[in-house]
Amino acid sequence: MSKDNTTNQKKKVSFPHMGTVSYAWSAALRIIGCEPYVEPYTSKKTLSLGTKHSPEAICIPYKLILGNFIEAIEGGADYVAMITSPGCCRLGEYGKCISNALRDLGYEANYVEMQLYDGIKGMYNFLKTVSGKNNLFLFSRAIIIGITKAFMLDSLENLLSYYRAREIHFGDAEKHYKKALKYIDENDTLLGLKKAKKQIKEEMQKVEIDAKRDVLHVDITGEIYVVNDEFSNQNIERELGRMGVQVRRSLTLTSFLKDAIIPKIFRKGETHLQRAFRLAKPYLMRDIGGDSLECVSDVVYAQKKGADGIIHLSPFTCMPEIMSQNIFPAMREDCDIPILALIMDEQTGRAGYITRIEAFVDLMRRRKRKIQLSENNSESTDKCKV
Ligand code: SF4
C-alpha cells in the first residue's frame, strides 16, 4: 500500500484526531516542509467507516482512528501516521492491525509509526521519515513549536471550561474559543505564539459571565483518547458547562508529553504519571496498562483537591479501565467523592447519556449544599491514605 513520493510536490501527512491535537502536529509538519493533511473532524461517517472494517469487540479509539485514516487517504494523504507504544493494552497491536486493514482494503498510502516511548528520538526519526531530510535545527524548531502549541491548547481549554460554566449566553464561550484557536493556528514562531497568548486571553475575556454563579467542579479521568476526544465522549464538557460545571482533566496531551516525550531536564515538578504512582499505591501497586493507574490516582487527587465529583470515561471492552472501575468501590471507604463511570462505544445513546450526567450533577449539587449547611463538615475532608 505504499505510494510513490518521488515528485517534488509537498508530501501530505495525516494523523488521527484526538481533540485539538491537529493544531500542534500541523505546525510541526509545516515547519519541516510537509503539508499537513487534516481530515474532517471525527463524525458519524468516520465511526461507521471504522466500525465496518474493525473487529467487533475492539475499543472505540481503534475504530475511530481507522475511520480517520480511511477519510485521510480518500482525501489525498500520502502518509498516515500512527502513535504506538509497547505495553499491556491493545495499543501495542493497533499499528499492525490498522496497517493490515488498510492494505486489505486496497488503500494506497504510506503507513508510518511514531514510537511513544522513544521520546524525542522517536519524534526526530518520524520527522526524518516523512520529510526525507535530516536537519537537526529544523526538526528541533518543529518539535519546540509543536510542544509549545500543545501547552497553549491545554491552557485555552482550561479557560474555555472556566468561562463555559459561568457564561450568561449559552455558546458564547465556545464562539470566542474558536476565534482564540485561530491565533494558535496562524502562528508558527515563538514570537508569534507569545503575542497569541495575549490575544487569547483578551478574546476569552470578552465572554459575558456571571462571576458569582455557584459552579460545581468536576474532574474527568479515564482512557486518554475518550477523555480528550469530544466526538467519542459526546462533548461531555459542553454538556457539563451548560449545567454550570467547571471541568478539570489531568490526562491531557501535555501530561502525556511530559511523561513520554519531554526530557527530564526540561520538566518542572511532578508529572502526572509520577503522581499516579504515588497516589494510587494503596489501591494499585503497578502500571497495568492503558491509563488505569492514572485513573485510580485521579480519584484520590480529586478528593484531595476538594472536587465535587469525578467522572470516569472508558471505552467498552477496554481492559485497563475495567480494572480501574473495579478498584473504585474499594476506594470509597477512604475517598468520599461521588464517581460516575460512563462506558463509551458506538451504541451509546445520547438521551440516556445526558440523563445520567444530569442526575449526577443533581446529586453533586445536593451533596454540596448539604456539606455547606452542615456544621460538622470535617467528615468530608481528606481521609485518603496518602
Ligand atoms: S487503553 Fe483501552 S481503549 Fe485505549 S488502546 Fe488500550 S485497550 Fe484500547
Side-chain angles (χ1 to χ4, degrees):
M1 63 163 194
S2 67
K3 218 172 176 179
D4 183 15
N5 284 307
T6 48
T7 62
N8 284 333
Q9 266 185 348
K10 277 188 180 180
K11 291 169 197 165
K12 288 187 191 168
V13 184
S14 174
F15 270 95
H17 283 289
M18 186 183 83
T20 49
V21 66
S22 61
Y23 290 91
W25 60 255
S26 295
L29 289 172
R30 276 194 296 269
I31 291 169
I32 62 164
C34 290
E35 186 181 330
Y37 180 82
V38 183
E39 64 277 7
Y41 196 76
T42 312
S43 63
K44 284 191 177 158
K45 184 185 166 204
T46 319
L47 178 62
S48 98
L49 279 171
T51 307
K52 192 172 160 194
H53 303 293
S54 301
E56 194 187 347
I58 201 126
C59 37
I60 195 160
Y62 177 94
K63 293 172 185 170
L64 295 178
I65 290 169
L66 178 60
N68 282 154
F69 282 160
I70 294 175
E71 287 188 301
I73 298 169
E74 285 182 351
D78 300 305
Y79 279 92
V80 286
M82 175 71 190
I83 288 174
T84 61
S85 80
C88 320
C89 94
R90 283 177 285 194
L91 183 59
E93 304 301 320
Y94 266 23
K96 224 176 209 112
C97 294
I98 286 185
S99 70
N100 285 344
L102 292 174
R103 194 191 50 228
D104 292 349
L105 288 166
Y107 284 114
E108 289 229 341
N110 295 292
Y111 171 84
V112 59
E113 285 183 358
M114 190 165 88
Q115 285 290 338
L116 276 188
Y117 291 102
D118 287 351
I120 291 283
K121 194 175 144 219
M123 268 195 173
Y124 190 95
N125 288 338
F126 167 78
L127 296 176
K128 210 165 129 183
T129 307
V130 293
S131 67
K133 300 172 188 166
N134 189 3
N135 185 327
L136 178 65
F137 175 73
L138 194 67
F139 293 177
S140 304
R141 194 159 78 82
I143 292 170
I144 290 169
I145 295 294
I147 291 178
T148 307
K149 287 201 181 198
F151 276 93
M152 288 176 72
L153 289 163
D154 274 358
S155 307
L156 176 57
E157 279 167 23
N158 288 339
L159 278 179
L160 171 65
S161 186
Y162 173 87
Y163 284 103
R164 194 142 60 179
R166 294 165 179 83
E167 66 189 357
I168 289 172
H169 310 290
F170 176 66
D172 207 16
E174 201 161 312
K175 193 177 85 194
H176 290 285
Y177 163 78
K178 283 186 179 153
K179 280 190 194 166
L181 270 179
K182 283 195 188 146
Y183 296 126
I184 298 180
D185 198 29
E186 283 164 1
N187 290 286
D188 285 347
T189 61
L190 284 176
L191 193 65
L193 289 172
K194 200 175 164 196
K195 271 188 212 153
K197 264 186 201 167
K198 204 168 155 257
Q199 289 167 313
I200 287 168
K201 210 170 155 203
E202 285 165 4
E203 188 64 48
M204 293 308 286
Q205 280 169 349
K206 289 179 192 163
V207 181
E208 219 184 314
I209 57 165
D210 172 3
K212 289 196 181 126
R213 185 173 292 165
D214 186 15
V215 164
L216 290 173
H217 291 84
V218 163
D219 281 16
I220 293 192
T221 191
E223 193 268 348
I224 190 164
Y225 184 93
V226 288
V227 167
N228 287 285
D229 183 71
E230 65 179 46
F231 177 81
S232 57
N233 65 36
Q234 303 204 12
N235 213 333
I236 191 168
E237 294 191 23
R238 187 198 284 158
E239 295 307 326
L240 288 165
R242 188 173 57 82
M243 298 173 206
V245 180
Q246 186 176 338
V247 166
R248 175 177 53 200
R249 272 180 277 138
S250 294
L251 265 168
T252 56
L253 176 59
T254 50
S255 76
F256 159 75
L257 287 173
K258 279 187 200 162
D259 277 313
I261 307 284
I262 300 174
K264 267 187 203 157
I265 45 160
F266 297 118
R267 293 195 305 236
K268 270 190 218 148
E270 193 181 35
T271 67
H272 189 212
L273 189 59
Q274 287 165 341
R275 190 180 86 196
F277 273 107
R278 181 169 60 83
L279 296 182
K281 220 173 207 164
Y283 315 99
L284 187 59
M285 300 293 287
R286 57 178 283 258
D287 190 354
I288 54 166
D291 303 298
S292 56
L293 190 80
E294 287 91 335
C295 292
V296 170
S297 73
D298 282 352
V299 173
V300 183
Y301 185 72
Q303 200 264 351
K304 271 176 76 68
K305 290 285 168 188
D308 296 300
I310 180 159
I311 297 178
H312 177 254
L313 298 171
S314 65
F316 181 56
T317 75
C318 168
M319 277 308 288
E321 296 317 324
I322 291 173
M323 296 297 289
S324 35
Q325 274 173 20
N326 281 284
I327 294 169
F328 295 155
M331 301 176 75
R332 293 238 161 89
E333 246 177 56
D334 305 321
C335 298
D336 180 20
I337 184 166
I339 307 173
L340 173 67
L342 296 167
I343 299 170
M344 313 304 299
D345 77 349
E346 64 270 25
Q347 311 288 348
T348 307
R350 184 145 180 88
Y353 183 70
I354 301 295
T355 307
R356 291 193 66 194
I357 296 170
E358 280 172 349
F360 186 64
V361 170
D362 197 36
L363 179 144
M364 288 189 295
R365 217 173 273 290
R366 277 186 282 121
R367 178 178 174 272
K368 191 176 179 184
R369 276 194 212 120
K370 208 170 146 193
I371 292 171
Q372 281 168 347
L373 287 171
S374 169
E375 285 178 357
N376 189 16
N377 62 357
S378 59
E379 273 178 31
S380 61
T381 55
D382 183 13
K383 288 192 279 179
C384 274
K385 297 172 188 167
V386 286

